[in-house]
Amino acid sequence: CLAVILAGVVHDFAHPGTTNPHEVKAATKRHKAFGDSGVLEKFHVRAAFALMRDARLNILAPLDHAGYARARRTMVKAILATDLGRHMAYVERLNEMALVEGSRSHSNRVNSSKEQTWTSPLLDPEKCGRDLVAAVALKFADLGHACKRRNLHEEWTARITNEFWTLGERERHLGVAVSPLCDREKDIDVAKSQVGFFSFICLPFFAVVADLVDPDWQLLARLRQNLRYWQNKKNAERWLATAQLQGPLQRPVS
């Protein structure tokens, strides 16, 4: 548990405000150090463990050699799982599990059998290994703003949009192609971007996790509420009008 919590704390540590595709096409020092895949995730791992070389900051110091090795391995695997380049592979893996062990699959079976009680397969080490549980937890943390209360979700949306626009300006300066969603002049339909993010990244993941963890999960209901917010034409127009203003994007005043 300590290793997974710590992985959640440092999984974006020292983030440079770029993306993995940017690191590759710009041939950055990080790309040269870590290769073509998971550039930033590997960088976060190295930065976190470099920080813990300071004895005052090494929370894993009380562990013996074997315990430290296990904790490090758990942290590394969990942090690498947050690479969005691997996202759909995890979603497919979870969907395969849900076909057999999910709450909906169980509900279909109880109609024709005496089987009544369903428990999450993520609680059964014979059905789901610790590494996958840790990966699900870290991915939840990484994408979790989609499930937050509306005001917090909007704040994080504005922040990531500004980060993308700043990256686009950096790419223009470097003379490389501007990344998707990073053009301050063109990528101003924030609602459209969010609908895509929810539909293709968030909802497929959180829906299957809910099926595997809790079919009555309130966070999934909140995620769907936030998606409907972005699909609302009036809200979309408010964000578009705000994005067209000069300066950093601010959350529109209701």
Side-chain angles (χ1 to χ4, degrees):
C1 291
L2 171 63
V4 177
I5 292 172
L6 189 56
V9 171
V10 304
H11 80 278
D12 271 342
F13 178 63
H15 200 293
T18 64
T19 63
N20 284 335
H22 167 85
E23 294 289 326
V24 174
K25 70 183 175 185
T28 65
K29 291 182 179 180
R30 286 178 289 269
H31 171 237
K32 293 174 183 176
F34 300 117
D36 290 343
S37 63
V39 181
L40 292 177
E41 291 72 29
K42 294 171 186 174
F43 169 71
H44 300 319
V45 168
R46 186 180 71 175
F49 279 95
L51 186 69
M52 288 193 289
R53 291 195 189 108
D54 185 333
R56 298 170 300 171
L57 304 175
N58 187 4
I59 195 171
L60 300 178
L63 301 178
D64 60 22
H65 179 76
Y68 178 88
R70 286 194 299 271
R72 178 184 170 87
R73 174 185 173 279
T74 297
M75 290 177 63
V76 170
K77 295 193 74 171
I79 293 170
L80 293 182
T82 63
D83 177 6
L84 282 181
R86 304 169 62 187
H87 181 72
M88 292 314 299
Y90 276 103
V91 172
E92 290 172 7
R93 185 175 175 185
L94 294 171
N95 276 320
E96 289 174 359
M97 182 184 296
L99 285 174
V100 179
E101 303 291 349
S103 61
R104 287 180 296 178
S105 173
H106 171 81
S107 296
N108 292 334
R109 290 197 303 271
V110 297
N111 292 330
S112 58
S113 72
K114 295 181 180 180
E115 185 179 6
Q116 296 295 325
T117 303
W118 177 82
T119 56
S120 170
L122 272 64
L123 298 175
D124 187 341
E126 295 185 0
K127 296 177 180 178
C128 184
R130 291 183 178 182
D131 287 342
L132 182 56
V133 174
V136 169
L138 262 288
K139 290 181 68 59
F140 183 101
D142 198 39
L143 301 170
H145 78 82
C147 298
K148 290 184 181 296
R149 295 193 306 273
R150 177 75 46 72
N151 63 322
L152 293 176
H153 168 59
E154 287 183 297
E155 178 63 30
W156 281 108
T157 297
R159 291 187 182 195
I160 191 62
T161 300
N162 285 321
E163 185 175 286
F164 281 174
W165 287 346
T166 299
L167 176 59
E169 293 170 1
R170 186 187 311 180
E171 290 175 331
R172 280 200 180 88
H173 179 73
L174 293 173
V176 299
V178 176
S179 297
L181 306 180
C182 296
D183 192 319
R184 180 66 176 85
E185 301 302 319
K186 299 177 180 179
D187 298 318
I188 57 174
D189 193 338
V190 179
K192 181 180 179 181
S193 299
Q194 285 300 298
V195 169
F197 175 62
F198 272 70
S199 300
F200 297 106
I201 301 296
C202 297
L203 191 54
F205 173 73
F206 286 106
V208 70
V209 171
D211 190 33
L212 291 167
V213 175
D214 181 358
D216 299 318
W217 205 21
Q218 290 303 305
L219 289 179
L220 180 60
R222 186 179 292 162
L223 181 145
R224 288 181 167 138
Q225 289 173 358
N226 287 338
L227 174 56
R228 288 193 293 271
Y229 169 83
W230 293 115
Q231 292 171 328
N232 180 278
K233 183 178 179 180
K234 184 177 181 180
N235 295 330
E237 290 174 346
R238 289 171 54 242
W239 277 87
L240 180 61
T242 304
Q244 289 172 331
L245 301 175
Q246 295 296 317
L249 178 66
Q250 301 288 333
R251 174 172 169 255
V253 178
S254 300

